[in-house]
Amino acid sequence: MTLKTNAAIDARRIAATPRGIGIGFPIYAERALNAELWDVEGRRYIDFGSGIAVLNTGHRHPRVVEAIRAQLDRFTHTAYQVVPYESVVSLAERLNRLTPGTHAKKTAFFTTGAEAVENAIKIARAATRRPGVIALGGGFHGRTFMGMALTGKVVPYKTGFGPFPGSIFHVPAPIALHGVSVDDSLRAIEQLFKADIEPEQVAAIILEPVQGEGGFYAAPPEFMRALRRICDRHGILLIADEIQTGFGRTGKWFAMDHYDVVPDLMTMAKSLAGGTPLSAVCGRAEIMDAPAPGGLGGTYAANALAIASAHAVLDVIEEEKLCERAQQLGDRLKARLEALRAKVPQICDVRGLGAMVAVEFAGADGAPDPAFTKEVQTRARDAGLLLLTCGVHANVVRFLFPLTIEDAVLEEGLDILAAALQA
Ligand SMILES: Cc1ncc(COP(=O)(O)O)c(C=O)c1O
């Protein structure tokens, strides 16, 4: 029998799988529960990453496990497009009600976040009969070709993979911390309309209300309002990519609930389905109906197990009041980080909407400090805490612990974090 050690499996991984699939931590998961994870060597970790924002309801929430188990006993797959099932219709009805705006909506299900983004663009182009799409620098929208084209970060996502689909344009994201104002971003859009594409040829503007991979920067409300005005003036659709921000993370069901702006289309994935692959595009009914029958779908789209899981996730968020809990957890975390500022001069910013909190690091000269960020992540990992980084300069630690995390586990994790920051 081969010994199951992290090092032994990692050696096999390197031989058997390509390096392009980068690994955050070479520890191999054995089991997990809520905010804790154990590796094959029996070592316990506190998981502040939640499988990249997928587990707002924690690892193996009993309600989610039970829903999947019950569905397993009925059927796993029919291909929804061949033989449909009612749970998809009822999940669409729930999402149509939960998402921002009181207008008539429809929802289509897919498998991955990138697929939701692809389909949102397909739908926007079919509805407007225009090709252009505007996205933001630093934004992340996935690893498929349209996802890559929309993503505003070259290394590592786009390196070596071009050419990308045409008619995609980027403007700088308004991030005051990095010297880009709302006016700068809006001027860049106006310039785009002069230099690159007339607004009448633009189908959509897509943005994450809070950039995820890009560094947890929330779009300023006046920027969101200005985008809505530009869209309305020119018949452009506003797409909110809520794949990382959705399902309670920001203290409300969706990050767009923090704005007095309603998007025309919204993409969702990740915490929608508690660890099973499911994504969705929800939007104005008449826009969603633009593609002809057969134009949308996929063999695994609306997988029965994932749909069952998503229903349970929505129940848990409602019943356990996870939006309120996200706000409380985020406030606690921000207070801890703010208190550490005096002792950790590398902390240049603490920010967050609800529990979507991040801490950013810079050196004495004010330049981004990715080396310190990596050090903090490594020290935390060695002490049993899994942290994710993000940011165009890889100088941000982002917090994505389950919103169901037990108070004691959170405190234990925060103590490890504090020690890692001050070591
Ligand atoms: C905002 C956003 N959009 C799209 C994606 C792509 O999702 P997936 O990795 O499921 O394809 C991600 C993934 O991190 C994301 O954060």
Side-chain angles (χ1 to χ4, degrees):
M1 197 179 85
T2 48
L3 199 60
K4 278 218 277 183
T5 64
N6 290 314
I9 302 171
D10 207 46
R12 286 168 46 214
R13 169 184 72 84
I14 290 165
T17 69
R19 65 184 187 134
I21 300 169
I23 297 296
F25 308 103
I27 55 169
Y28 285 79
E30 180 64 27
R31 70 191 168 90
L33 185 63
N34 202 7
E36 293 167 283
L37 185 151
W38 288 263
D39 73 6
V40 289
E41 297 177 9
R43 172 130 201 241
R44 167 184 174 264
Y45 292 89
I46 296 173
D47 184 3
F48 273 16
S50 291
I52 324 182
V54 168
L55 302 164
N56 286 358
T57 50
H59 288 278
R60 289 171 53 236
H61 191 291
R63 293 281 297 272
V64 172
V65 171
E66 186 43 46
I68 296 170
R69 197 170 278 145
Q71 181 61 42
L72 268 175
D73 286 339
R74 296 175 61 219
F75 59 90
T76 58
H77 181 79
T78 62
Y80 179 75
Q81 291 155 255
V82 179
V83 180
Y85 27 97
E86 192 263 348
S87 54
V88 173
V89 180
S90 55
L91 188 64
E93 288 167 345
R94 288 181 84 172
L95 292 173
N96 293 341
R97 274 196 304 273
L98 280 172
T99 45
T102 52
H103 51 280
K105 292 177 219 146
K106 291 192 175 184
T107 295
F109 294 100
F110 305 97
T111 310
T112 67
E115 225 187 328
V117 169
E118 295 277 336
N119 280 281
I121 303 302
K122 281 170 64 174
I123 293 163
R125 283 181 168 170
T128 59
R129 301 189 173 277
R130 301 172 177 190
V133 184
I134 298 173
L136 299 187
F140 182 79
H141 299 287
R143 287 180 163 89
T144 54
F145 268 95
M146 181 55 75
M148 282 193 289
L150 293 170
T151 289
K153 182 179 175 186
V154 174
V155 181
Y157 306 122
K158 301 166 90 151
T159 315
F161 297 131
F164 303 107
S167 300
I168 308 298
F169 305 91
H170 287 92
V171 295
I175 300 171
L177 186 68
H178 294 292
V180 183
S181 69
V182 168
D183 281 348
D184 292 336
S185 297
L186 294 176
R187 262 197 300 275
I189 295 177
E190 289 309 320
Q191 179 59 23
L192 210 60
F193 291 159
K194 286 200 184 81
D196 293 293
I197 187 169
E198 67 272 38
E200 294 74 23
Q201 285 299 311
V202 177
I205 298 177
I206 183 169
L207 82 163
E208 304 156 82
V210 183
Q211 286 196 336
E213 305 302 305
F216 277 28
Y217 303 103
E222 66 271 29
F223 182 63
M224 200 66 92
R225 276 184 224 118
L227 289 185
R228 185 69 271 177
R229 278 196 301 275
I230 292 169
C231 287
D232 290 345
R233 190 178 322 132
H234 298 296
I236 297 169
L237 303 180
L238 184 62
I239 305 176
D241 183 344
E242 291 254 13
I243 286 168
Q244 191 153 160
T245 49
F247 303 98
R249 175 57 51 188
T250 68
K252 294 184 187 280
W253 274 99
F254 297 99
M256 287 307 291
D257 291 323
H258 291 275
Y259 297 87
D260 54 0
V261 165
V262 176
D264 301 299
L265 294 173
M266 229 167 89
T267 53
M268 311 165 220
K270 292 193 184 274
S271 276
L272 162 62
T276 53
L278 185 69
S279 64
V281 180
C282 175
R284 292 185 183 281
E286 67 281 10
I287 295 170
M288 292 296 295
D289 272 333
L296 303 177
T299 304
Y300 297 106
N303 171 264
L305 299 173
I307 295 283
S309 177
H311 274 291
V313 163
L314 299 189
D315 291 343
V316 169
I317 295 174
E318 263 162 19
E319 289 166 23
E320 298 186 16
K321 299 193 174 10
L322 293 187
C323 293
E324 289 89 329
R325 174 112 176 113
Q327 191 59 53
Q328 292 157 8
L329 293 170
D331 289 346
R332 250 159 83 182
L333 171 58
K334 276 196 278 192
R336 277 294 283 268
L337 290 167
E338 287 292 353
L340 283 162
R341 262 184 188 233
K343 296 177 206 148
V344 186
Q346 291 91 343
I347 296 179
C348 67
D349 196 36
V350 173
R351 57 179 172 269
L353 210 50
M356 195 165 176
V357 170
V359 55
E360 180 157 346
F361 303 111
D365 59 354
D369 196 341
F372 180 75
T373 313
K374 185 82 200 150
E375 253 174 66
V376 170
Q377 186 187 38
T378 304
R379 281 185 214 136
R381 195 272 317 269
D382 291 346
L385 173 68
L386 302 182
L387 293 175
L388 298 183
T389 60
C390 64
V392 173
H393 306 290
N395 66 326
V396 178
V397 166
R398 57 176 155 168
F399 298 92
L400 288 164
F401 41 69
L403 305 175
T404 48
I405 189 169
E406 299 88 347
D407 284 331
V409 177
L410 177 72
E411 286 306 318
E412 191 186 339
L414 293 181
D415 288 345
I416 296 173
L417 172 72
L421 284 168
Q422 295 175 89

